[in-house]
Amino acid sequence: MLPSGSGSRGVEVLLQVAASADAPRTLWVLFDDDGRVSQSYRGTLNELLVTTGGFDVVRLGADDLPAPDRAGRVDVGTIDLRERLARRRFLLRESDGDRAGVVRVGMWSGPPPVGPRGEPVSLGSRQFPEILVGTELEWLLPHDARDVYFLVERPDGPSRGTAWRSGEQQLFGPFRAADFPTELVLR
């Protein structure tokens, strides 16, 4: 259960699953419209992690997870995050009002990661939905969050709006939950 509002607002659920002969793998699970998560997998569920922008909110290890039922389902029940997370809002706007369109926004605890050759992270996956510039965004953060960074990426290439592979990026932060910005101004 998330604080009132719409969507996951940066909250993610990660499952660590191990098949008998394979190394454990991590599955990223999307929330449905009702705020529930469900994922099919083969193997053993070793860990469930609820995170927001790299801040671990809940971690259930193998010993904390219920055993699978007869159908092989693991029901972790309701995880209530309403008291652990605070709603933070900001407006995403252009500095000059000329460049509109869509962007993708990622949130991290600490600076965003870089690739093996030092290249910036790309926001080209479903994890980072397209956001219309001029939109007010809401994120859920731990009450004591520090070193919060936002990376905003525009689409890359001439097809603006469809090609998402390390387009023009702008980094904002660090912020604390206590002095969160009211707007991010894009250049």
Side-chain angles (χ1 to χ4, degrees):
M1 296 177 70
L2 300 176
S4 63
S6 177
S8 64
R9 294 158 287 163
V11 177
E12 300 177 329
V13 176
L14 304 170
L15 305 178
Q16 185 188 75
V17 176
S20 57
D22 298 329
R25 68 184 199 279
T26 301
L27 304 174
W28 177 62
V29 186
L30 292 171
F31 283 87
D32 67 15
D33 292 339
D34 296 322
R36 293 190 169 115
V37 294
S38 176
Q39 180 70 36
S40 295
Y41 60 88
R42 290 198 178 271
T44 304
L45 179 60
N46 290 337
E47 181 180 78
L48 178 141
L49 175 64
V50 180
T51 183
T52 181
F55 297 99
D56 293 352
V57 182
V58 172
R59 181 184 302 268
L60 299 175
D63 294 338
D64 303 316
L65 293 164
D69 64 16
R70 288 182 177 179
R73 294 186 184 121
V74 176
D75 183 353
V76 297
T78 300
I79 299 173
D80 190 346
L81 303 177
R82 293 176 295 179
E83 296 298 320
R84 295 183 186 198
L85 299 175
R87 297 167 60 189
R88 298 289 185 242
R89 294 181 179 172
F90 62 83
L91 177 66
L92 184 64
R93 72 171 181 87
E94 293 289 349
S95 61
D96 58 11
D98 289 341
R99 293 177 72 185
V102 294
V103 295
R104 289 189 171 178
V105 180
M107 178 179 67
W108 280 271
S109 60
V114 295
R117 294 190 176 110
E119 70 273 14
V121 65
S122 175
L123 304 183
S125 73
R126 291 184 307 158
Q127 182 179 5
F128 306 103
E130 293 182 9
I131 298 170
L132 187 62
V133 174
T135 300
E136 183 178 60
L137 303 176
E138 181 174 88
W139 296 82
L140 298 174
L141 293 169
H143 296 282
D144 61 349
R146 304 176 141 267
D147 297 325
V148 178
Y149 285 82
F150 289 95
L151 182 65
V152 178
E153 182 175 275
R154 294 183 186 278
D156 187 22
S159 59
R160 288 264 184 238
T162 58
W164 292 97
R165 290 292 172 241
S166 295
E168 180 184 337
Q169 296 183 339
Q170 189 173 350
L171 184 62
F172 297 90
F175 304 111
R176 295 179 317 153
D179 58 7
F180 207 69
T182 57
E183 61 183 15
L184 297 182
V185 180
L186 305 175
R187 59 179 188 274

